[in-house]
Each structure stands twice: as structure tokens, then as C-alpha cells.
Amino acid sequence: MLVLGIESSCDETGLALYDTEAGLLAHALHSQVAMHRDYGGVVPELASRDHIRRVLPLLQQVLEQAGRQRGDIDAIAFTQGPGLAGALLVGASVANALGFALGVPMLGVHHLEGHLLSPLLAPAAPGSAPPAFPFVALLVSGGHTQLMEVRGVGDYALLGETLDDAAGEAFDKTAKLLGLGYPGGPEVSRLAEFGVPGAFDLPRPMLHSGNLDFSFAGLKTAVLTQSRKLGSNLCEQDRANLARSFVDAIVDVLGAKSLAALKRTGHKRLVVAGGVGANRQLRERLDDLARRHRFEVHYPPLDLCTDNGAMIAFAGAMRLQAAPELASRDYGYGVTPRWDLSELRLPAH
Ligand code: KG4
Ligand code: ZN
């Protein structure tokens, strides 16, 4: 079965072709980062318009890469939510129109399920095996920070989540405070490499809360307070030190809560997904914890950490294989901009 995946939930247009026999045949991405940079964040209306411009040329590109024709497509998976409503509607419209024109079924995919299953699509290290179910997933993206228990495709239980800002959001806001560009995560991470550990005493919110929830808004405020204290005297080394203290605080919390989630569930595998999963310091910490506490940790390859069409094609294919009745020919589509992952269920068999 050849599945076309379309991702358009935020500021990346991603298309991909996944074959259930041969694996990922092609994926192509257009990032709108340069367009939104001047505004310091994503402008939803500009995002929607740009998705419209990019989606069909990217479709052509993946078909050519894979050496396939439109008529070879058996099903279309698109990101139904969560995300920006206008941006989601572009992917949904194209998926439905194309599905109708080709006479093939389509299905809406939950964006976070895409992230969650992406380490199964392609292991980070060549030759290493993808993780087996069950596992604990740490989902760390721009909009979400969640720990999930994953028992199988479509079988997810929420263990804990952020009560305010997501980890990626904290990175982006800290980047702004430090005068860095958008998206902030990679830039804060790079600057932190030059920082002296322990230079600033930043809080580790909810580290000892006894549950698996997070809170990052206070951490961002602490960065603001420290940078205000230094005022215009904030030199390059101070900025690097502040970035380092911020990254260390966030990594301490994400590491400790992931470990607590593994202990609570008794699982021995941790899967990390979402944009912040590309973070070097977080990966180093989790690798170290995995060695010391004897669990496996799995990441998607770096190019599949942030938003992409491959994870949507793959999640769509997995769902269709598990529950073929999900394939819909009712082209009266909708999108779900706010959508809780733990609400997602496969039809009972
Ligand atoms: O999963 P994603 O691409 O989009 C959402 O679904 O939100 O995640 C984007 C987030 C942004 O907040 C970005 O700053 C963060 O992931 N990010 C990183 C890194 N690369 C991307 N954060 C820390 N370190 C990175 N290397
Ligand atoms: Zn995402």
C-alpha cells in the first residue's frame, strides 16, 4: 500500500510517500522559518498562504523522487490537528480533493501521533532496531510537553504534561530574551555550549512535585529576571552562561521526569519525539541516564524530529493496517485544531 502523507499544521509543508512493503520512498519539506523570522514567530495567515503555494510542487517532487505516478497512490493521510486551523485546512483540502480525484480513501492523522511513531519509521542509528511496544514517550515540541505510555498503535495513556508553556515554547521565549533568532531552540542550544555551568541559579520547576507534570513558565520568567538584573551590562559570556543555565534546568527536569515515568510504568524503553528531541544536551543527558539506569532510549533521525510529512504518511499507514475501516471516502473533511492525543482510539476489533 502506497500512502501519501501531507503535513501542514504549522510552519512546515511536508509531503512524503510511504510504502508498507518498501518503507519510506521519498519525503520533501519546505520550511517557512525564513518568512516568519522577521516577526519573531509564526504568523498564521502567512503560514496558510505559503502552504497553498508549496503543497503541489512538493507533491510533484516526492512523486519524481520515488519514481511513481499519482495513480499509484493507494491512500492519503493528512494532519487533521492539532495545529493552526487555516494551515491545517490547506493540507485537508488538498488531501480530500486529491483523494476524490484519484478515487482513493483518505484519513486524518493526529500530529502528535506522527511524532510519537516516528522513531519506528527510521531508527536514528543505521542498523539499530526500532523500539518495540510498549514504551514511554517523551513528546517535546513547540506546543506540547507530554509523557505518554504507548502500548501499541492508537493505545496511548497520558502520564503527565505541562501545566503552562511547552518545552519548545520555553526555548523560543528564552531565545527572544537573549536576542537570538527564531526558532529559538537550536540557537539557545548552540549558545549554551559556550556557557559556564552553574553561573546562574535557575529553578527546576516541579522537579519534586511527585507527579509527572511539568511547568516551564516560571523558568522563562527567571531568565527574564536575571537578564534584567544585568541590564545593558549583559555581555556575550553572560548570555552564554544564561543559555547554559536555562538548558541545564530544562534538561534536568525532562530527564528526571522521564526516568520517573519509566519507573512508574515498569517499561524499559523511552522514545523521544518532537522538535526539542533534536536537542544535543537533552540527548546527552538521556543517553547517560539510560546507561546508568539500564533502559533503552530511541530518537528519530534528526531530520524527522521536527515537523515532516514522513511521520504523517507512516502514522496513516500504521492506522490503516491496524484498522482498514478508518479509510474514508467521505470527502466532507474537517480539521481539529485542538485535539487531545489520549482521546485517540482505534476502532475495537
Ligand atoms: O515538533 P516541532 O517541529 O513543531 C511542533 O509541533 O511544535 O517543534 C518545534 C520546536 C520549537 O519550539 C523549536 O525551538 C524546538 O522545537 N527545537 C529545539 C531544537 N530544534 C527545534 N529545541 C531545542 N533544541 C533544538 N536543537
Ligand atoms: Zn510537531
Side-chain angles (χ1 to χ4, degrees):
M1 178 173 51
L2 184 65
V3 181
L4 170 70
I6 304 178
E7 155 63 30
S8 71
S9 66
C10 189
D11 59 347
E12 256 115 20
T13 325
L15 275 89
L17 286 168
Y18 178 81
D19 185 289
T20 47
E21 302 289 312
L24 185 62
L25 299 184
H27 80 109
L29 191 79
H30 175 78
S31 167
Q32 303 176 353
V33 160
M35 185 179 79
H36 296 296
R37 192 168 274 142
D38 291 347
Y39 305 92
V42 178
V43 183
E45 180 60 23
L46 292 182
S48 314
R49 292 178 193 206
D50 200 62
H51 285 307
I52 295 172
R53 275 193 290 273
R54 306 292 172 180
V55 66
L56 290 178
L58 285 171
L59 170 62
Q60 200 50 39
Q61 199 175 318
V62 290
L63 285 169
E64 278 167 21
Q65 258 179 43
R68 300 296 180 96
Q69 312 287 322
R70 283 180 191 194
D72 296 334
I73 297 170
D74 297 308
I76 303 173
F78 66 96
T79 305
Q80 184 181 323
L84 302 169
L88 289 167
L89 276 167
V90 178
S93 310
V94 172
N96 280 268
L98 205 57
F100 180 71
L102 298 175
V104 300
M106 47 90 221
L107 87 163
V109 168
H110 195 293
H111 179 82
L112 293 180
E113 184 175 44
H115 277 304
L116 198 78
L117 299 178
S118 59
L120 279 74
L121 164 62
S128 65
F133 297 114
F135 52 77
V136 167
L138 172 67
L139 268 176
V140 270
S141 68
H144 293 83
T145 299
Q146 298 183 329
L147 279 161
M148 308 281 306
E149 182 180 17
V150 179
R151 292 179 288 242
V153 177
D155 190 358
Y156 314 122
L158 182 68
L159 300 170
E161 65 182 333
T162 183
L163 306 178
D164 41 55
D165 291 357
E169 205 176 340
F171 266 100
D172 294 336
K173 288 178 176 170
T174 297
K176 254 191 195 169
L177 289 174
L178 296 175
L180 301 170
Y182 159 85
E187 300 219 11
V188 173
S189 173
R190 224 170 290 129
L191 185 61
E193 301 277 329
F194 303 100
V196 179
F200 293 94
D201 186 20
L202 297 182
R204 268 77 178 145
M206 299 187 70
L207 187 59
H208 303 294
S209 62
N211 62 19
L212 298 172
D213 288 334
F214 304 88
S215 162
F216 294 116
L219 181 56
K220 167 203 67 192
T221 310
V223 174
L224 176 67
T225 310
Q226 293 290 352
S227 62
R228 279 209 180 126
K229 266 192 203 156
L230 292 162
S232 52
N233 299 326
L234 198 69
C235 68
E236 194 56 29
Q237 189 60 49
D238 286 333
R239 289 168 68 240
N241 290 350
L242 207 42
R244 174 68 189 251
S245 297
F246 166 80
V247 171
D248 285 347
I250 221 161
V251 163
D252 274 358
V253 178
L254 292 174
K257 297 264 171 165
S258 301
L259 188 59
L262 288 164
K263 286 194 174 149
R264 182 178 296 182
T265 55
H267 299 321
K268 288 280 171 208
R269 277 178 290 270
L270 177 71
V271 161
V272 185
V276 183
N279 183 266
R280 226 182 99 185
Q281 291 95 341
L282 178 63
R283 287 186 174 210
E284 281 170 6
R285 173 65 56 87
L286 295 175
D287 287 344
D288 181 50
L289 286 173
R291 265 191 304 273
R292 289 196 284 124
H293 296 271
R294 295 171 192 281
F295 63 85
E296 289 172 25
V297 56
H298 298 263
Y299 315 93
L302 278 177
D303 63 333
L304 298 184
C305 267
T306 44
D307 293 348
N308 63 85
M311 67 183 194
I312 302 303
F314 180 68
M318 299 279 274
R319 287 185 83 73
L320 286 175
Q321 280 185 323
E325 66 271 33
L326 286 173
S328 164
R329 288 172 197 270
D330 167 14
Y331 302 105
Y333 61 90
V335 295
T336 316
R338 297 181 73 88
W339 191 4
D340 193 344
L341 182 59
S342 43
E343 285 168 11
L344 208 62
R345 288 277 170 274
L346 279 175
H349 280 261

